[in-house]
Amino acid sequence: MSFARTFLNDRLNSSDPEGIGLHVEQLMQAVAPEWSVPETLPHVRASNLCFGVPMNWALNDADRQQQVCRTLRYKLGQFEPRFSQVHEIKMQEDEAGNMVSFVIRADARMGDGEEGIELETRLSLFDQQVEEDSP
């Protein structure tokens, strides 16, 4: 993960669905080291030390999928302040294509109001990078 590409790119700071989508993709592509940071250090928990989502995949494991979705929801709350509420995160695995698809439905702060958005991302299981033909 490139710190500059994630945190300093102007497109990632925009308040439009495309800018939010780019930031969410960066979050999902960043593999978190899973440091154990106590809740008493909220600024450290919200820093780039903890940026990213741990994606140690377990195919066809419903409990693991739920855990990944819960972790992603938590990380979106920490690192995507433009989301006012995440309504749903769906995860679907494609073993044959070595892909995992995510659909995130949320309300996002846009200008003076809120707008419902839906983000779809497909990640490769080989390198956790967004596939170019992601919707």
Side-chain angles (χ1 to χ4, degrees):
M1 175 197 64
S2 165
F3 181 86
R5 186 175 67 190
T6 302
F7 291 101
L8 304 178
N9 191 329
D10 289 338
R11 292 182 307 161
L12 299 177
N13 294 324
S14 65
S15 292
D16 59 32
E18 182 180 330
I20 293 171
L22 288 171
H23 188 249
V24 170
E25 286 180 356
Q26 291 296 319
L27 175 68
M28 293 173 70
Q29 290 180 88
V31 180
E34 281 303 290
W35 301 110
S36 179
V37 178
E39 289 186 29
T40 56
L41 300 174
H43 297 295
V44 175
R45 291 175 69 117
S47 74
N48 63 329
L49 175 71
C50 297
F51 184 80
V53 180
M55 298 280 189
N56 47 345
W57 306 105
L59 295 175
N60 295 320
D61 183 345
D63 290 337
R64 182 68 189 136
Q65 283 187 8
Q66 288 177 354
Q67 183 180 358
V68 168
C69 290
R70 276 193 308 270
T71 301
L72 179 56
R73 180 183 296 269
Y74 173 76
K75 293 290 185 160
L76 288 170
Q78 276 190 307
F79 293 104
E80 185 42 77
R82 293 169 289 191
F83 280 158
S84 58
Q85 182 177 8
V86 177
H87 296 289
E88 180 179 33
I89 298 175
K90 288 185 179 178
M91 177 180 166
Q92 183 176 3
E93 299 173 75
D94 174 10
E95 290 181 59
N98 288 309
M99 307 288 270
V100 177
S101 299
F102 289 91
V103 176
I104 301 168
R105 291 186 182 90
D107 290 334
R109 294 175 189 90
M110 302 285 185
D112 294 335
E114 289 189 3
E115 181 180 322
I117 63 172
E118 181 175 300
L119 304 171
E120 297 180 43
T121 303
R122 292 180 355 147
L123 296 177
S124 167
L125 290 173
F126 291 122
D127 58 8
Q128 195 168 323
Q129 295 299 303
V130 170
E131 291 298 308
E132 293 301 320
D133 61 342
S134 286

